Amino acid sequence: MTIVIENAHVVTVSGAEHPSGHVVVDGDRITAVGPGPAPAPAAEAGERIDGTGCLLTPGLVNTHHHLYQWASQGMVTDGTLFEWLSALYRPWAKMDAEVVRGAATAGLAWLALSGCTTSTDHHYLFPRGRGDLFAAEIEAAAEVGVRFHPCRGSMDLGESRGGLPPDEAVEDLDTILAETEAAIDRYHDPSFGSMLRVAVAPCSPFSVTQELLVASAELARAKGVRLHTHLAETLDEEDYTREHFGKTPVEYMDSLGWLGADVWLAHCVHLHDTDVKRLAETRTGTAHCPSSNARLGSGIARVSHLLEAGAPVGLGVDGSASAELVPLAGEIRQAVYMQRARYGPRALTARRALEIATLGGARCLGREDEIGTLEPGKLADLALWRVDGFHAAVDDPVVAFAFGATPPLERLIAGGRTLVEGGTLVSVPQDEAGRRGAAAHRRLMRLAGEGA
């Protein structure tokens, strides 16, 4: 089916902007982008959308999330990261596939409603005998219709061995490697336009062993998939790696072969100048999660410094339980304001923040040739935002989008399929998605209360 969007302010992110432009979609690909009306015969075929009063951007890319945490929002509201984790590991260890499916449906639906067409998820808890949790979130993503990069996470360093998570929340090394390889073999689709790609993602330096980090990197590179983990989120983490390994978190991961163009790291809040330089040299990506870092009091990441050095940076909402009901589009504003609060009013512009949320995320995921910009030949992942009405008081629609409250989402298209229309989720009944998320919360609280 051909879809033609005309009369919108088109921001390609690759460079050009067309104040009254068009984009033509044929199937799952963009076939034309430019100023003025769409060329014939495209303008005469398929669906025509009048984008008057709208801003057209690439679909947003979420580079870090924990979808299961939708079921544990609003808990430990005033704790540090380590306090928050210590309190929540045990209820999380009681989740089952039903909890994950409901939480993932709600979480991905919420992301779609904020302009997200591609999302990762970092799932690192796999309680025994609770069903196929990884399959549950993949099924939810297929139903909602977003492009999905689930990361098969893991923890093998429990409390009894000096780690932070309780022993009941970790797996053994052999099980982790076998299950991770099986997930890659079953689900990973490396083809152009893929809706599903798997990454390997041990949780963090304080919850996994060196052996797991090394073996995970070897497995990922043998299979041709990407690597992901948390890093340098808090000063507590740096204290841990200096005490145990005599290195900063970045130095530690570098020593294990964990930096490179096939790696992206979540948070990277506490970086030294040498760390910033090393991430740029190795083309290692960073998933910036400003609201979660603020909610947990972790700090403000050195995003403007990473960008200046040439390191890839994407945007993430992080787990719903550390950034309750945060919309991905809203993280654009958070990123701009927090960088400016720390580094001055020229630290991050509206357009650079939009680039982080689109092309930057695509770079982190190794998909910059497919998504992240509006160009002929790229995948038809687009977001159409209404910037008329109240937003029209700002002459520059990109500034109106990035600086103020997120504008209404008129249309969201992923791979040529409409997910949101007129501000309402249409791929899954919107109210039903919300109910599933609430039911997942109630079920997790009951399982946790029962000690089941």
Side-chain angles (χ1 to χ4, degrees):
M1 178 180 176
T2 300
I3 301 174
V4 178
I5 303 175
E6 294 180 304
N7 306 320
H9 186 109
V10 179
V11 181
T12 65
V13 176
S14 56
E17 285 190 31
H18 308 296
S20 181
H22 68 269
V23 170
V24 179
V25 170
D26 190 2
D28 69 345
R29 306 290 175 91
I30 297 171
T31 57
V33 180
E44 302 170 4
E47 182 183 7
R48 299 188 69 238
I49 300 171
D50 183 2
T52 300
C54 293
L55 173 72
L56 184 61
T57 71
L60 306 185
V61 180
N62 179 36
T63 58
H64 186 64
H65 207 8
H66 307 292
L67 287 165
Y68 73 88
Q69 291 181 13
W70 188 275
S72 58
Q73 296 185 80
M75 303 174 69
V76 196
T77 56
D78 304 310
T80 65
L81 174 67
F82 278 22
E83 291 168 342
W84 177 84
L85 286 170
S86 296
L88 289 176
Y89 275 138
R90 283 187 166 81
W92 288 342
K94 306 302 180 183
M95 74 175 119
D96 60 9
E98 185 176 339
V99 169
V100 172
R101 176 69 186 264
T105 300
L108 290 166
W110 188 255
L111 283 169
L113 286 165
S114 69
C116 177
T117 51
T118 299
S119 183
T120 62
D121 187 60
H122 188 183
H123 193 102
Y124 54 83
L125 266 157
F126 292 89
R128 288 180 290 276
R130 299 288 178 164
D132 193 336
L133 277 60
F134 204 64
E137 65 171 2
I138 288 171
E139 291 163 4
E143 187 177 10
V144 175
V146 298
R147 213 173 293 281
F148 197 41
H149 283 239
C151 306
R152 207 297 179 177
S154 53
M155 299 189 295
D156 71 335
L157 189 64
E159 283 178 319
S160 64
R161 300 173 64 194
L164 188 66
D167 290 347
E168 65 186 289
V170 304
E171 301 171 281
D172 65 81
L173 178 63
D174 290 342
T175 297
I176 289 167
L177 295 176
E179 292 295 328
T180 302
E181 184 171 11
I184 296 167
D185 291 343
R186 180 177 180 185
Y187 294 115
H188 182 68
D189 176 7
S191 66
F192 189 97
S194 167
M195 295 298 291
L196 182 60
R197 292 186 185 170
V198 176
V200 179
C203 185
S204 64
F206 52 83
S207 61
V208 305
T209 61
Q210 287 190 26
E211 292 80 6
L212 176 56
L213 287 169
V214 171
S216 294
E218 291 173 350
L219 173 62
R221 286 165 178 149
K223 291 289 186 178
V225 302
R226 300 181 79 76
L227 284 163
H228 183 53
T229 192
H230 299 93
L231 200 71
E233 186 174 357
T234 67
L235 290 172
D236 289 338
E237 181 182 324
E238 176 154 344
D239 291 342
Y240 180 91
T241 59
R242 285 191 181 278
E243 177 185 350
H244 288 81
F245 313 114
K247 298 177 174 68
T248 70
V250 171
E251 291 169 344
Y252 174 56
M253 298 303 280
D254 197 6
S255 73
L256 301 179
W258 253 82
L259 301 187
D262 59 347
V263 180
W264 86 104
L265 307 167
H267 304 300
C268 294
V269 175
H270 298 283
L271 300 179
H272 301 273
D273 290 345
T274 53
D275 298 333
V276 172
K277 181 180 179 182
R278 188 64 181 141
L279 293 180
E281 288 174 345
T282 57
R283 302 296 297 162
T284 304
T286 293
H288 178 42
C289 307
S291 287
S292 176
N293 296 157
R295 196 269 204 195
L296 293 170
S298 300
I300 299 173
R302 295 178 60 179
V303 167
S304 56
H305 297 159
L306 287 166
L307 293 170
E308 184 179 359
V313 178
L315 205 58
V317 299
D318 202 8
S320 305
S322 66
E324 282 79 355
L325 296 171
V326 167
L328 182 55
E331 291 297 82
I332 295 173
R333 181 189 187 198
Q334 290 283 75
V336 170
Y337 284 4
M338 288 191 180
Q339 289 302 295
R340 291 179 175 210
R342 185 167 184 180
Y343 301 117
R346 286 180 287 278
L348 190 62
T349 67
R351 282 169 174 78
R352 196 68 190 275
L354 175 59
E355 180 183 340
I356 291 172
T358 52
L359 181 57
R363 287 176 176 145
C364 286
L365 302 184
R367 303 199 72 166
E368 61 267 39
D369 293 336
E370 300 173 84
I371 60 175
T373 63
L374 301 180
E375 300 177 78
K378 284 204 168 183
L379 296 170
D381 291 7
L382 312 97
L384 187 66
W385 311 88
R386 297 220 67 91
V387 289
D388 49 9
F390 289 107
H391 289 81
V394 180
D395 288 334
D396 185 336
V398 180
V399 171
F401 171 69
F403 282 17
T406 301
L409 183 60
E410 181 65 24
R411 183 72 70 102
L412 185 72
I413 297 171
R417 177 190 177 191
T418 293
L419 308 186
V420 176
E421 186 170 359
T424 300
L425 188 72
V426 296
S427 57
V428 175
Q430 183 168 305
D431 291 345
E432 175 63 21
R435 285 193 292 270
R436 291 186 202 177
H441 168 72
R442 291 192 297 270
R443 180 174 179 83
L444 178 61
M445 293 301 99
R446 179 174 62 79
L447 291 174
E450 292 173 352

